[in-house]
Amino acid sequence: TVHQYFYFLNSKEIKKGQGYIWINSNYNYGIKFDGKSWTYDPKYKNYPIGNATELGASECAKFYGGELPNYTRWEYACIGNSTGKFYTGDCLYNDQANYSWSQQINSVCVNNITNGLYEALEVGSFTPNQFGLYDMYGNVYEICTYNLNTFTLKGGSYTSSAFQCNHLMNTNMYSTESLVMGFRIVML
């Protein structure tokens, strides 16, 4: 969450421009560097971190005693033993995840609301999967390791189609800042 990342940045005395977070944008869920330390807008305390970099995500995971999931571990944590396209079945509806609701997986899966929110929501805004994990689809992409020193994005974001949220979809890492890049920590 924003609060956890804020605590990590300040505890490690990380300064702006050290490659831990893309901070050039005007909007970063309230995280700002004031020249001495990091601050954040309290209303975003439980929001997912956006604009994370691979370095920032990896180091934050280590700081909390964990690691980033590799893509196969993430896929299992997402789908578990479900046989559908999603842990929710063959469709992903607007009351199940924060994604671009107008971009459904097929014509059979119809949302009651088709105007997506196009912004992140507080963590846990939708029902968790069978393992109790929230926001495996949508909200923000999650940085995962792919191979040695390479990363991929999983789970889609609030700008993604239902297809892009599918657990089997790998998305290339962005080389520039993006509010839709976050991460999840696997505790060791």
Side-chain angles (χ1 to χ4, degrees), residues 74 86 92 99 136-138 155-157 160-167:
W74 185 95
F86 303 95
L92 185 62
Y99 68 99
M136 294 300 287
Y137 300 128
S157 76
S160 300
S161 68
F163 177 77
Q164 291 169 312
C165 293
N166 183 285
H167 67 283

Side-chain angles (χ1 to χ4, degrees), residues 6-49:
F6 152 83
Y7 182 77
F8 155 72
L9 291 171
N10 281 327
S11 294
K12 298 293 281 181
E13 298 181 2
I14 294 166
K15 306 294 183 219
K16 183 177 177 181
Q18 291 183 306
Y20 286 82
I21 188 170
W22 295 102
I23 201 71
N24 298 326
S25 68
N26 293 328
Y27 181 77
N28 196 41
Y29 304 114
I31 289 187
K32 295 180 181 135
F33 188 71
D34 67 9
K36 296 180 198 170
S37 64
W38 296 91
T39 63
Y40 71 93
D41 183 335
K43 75 179 179 182
Y44 295 110
K45 178 180 181 177
N46 293 314
Y47 277 64
I49 187 65

Side-chain angles (χ1 to χ4, degrees), residues 51-65:
N51 276 348
T53 65
E54 301 98 316
L55 173 64
S58 296
E59 291 300 313
C60 185
K62 288 179 197 170
F63 177 79
Y64 284 106

Side-chain angles (χ1 to χ4, degrees), residues 85 90-91 93 103-111 162-163:
K85 293 178 182 167
D90 284 332
C91 296
Y93 295 110
Q103 300 179 57
Q104 197 40 272
I105 194 86
N106 59 41
S107 60
V108 175
C109 305
V110 179
N111 282 319
F163 177 77

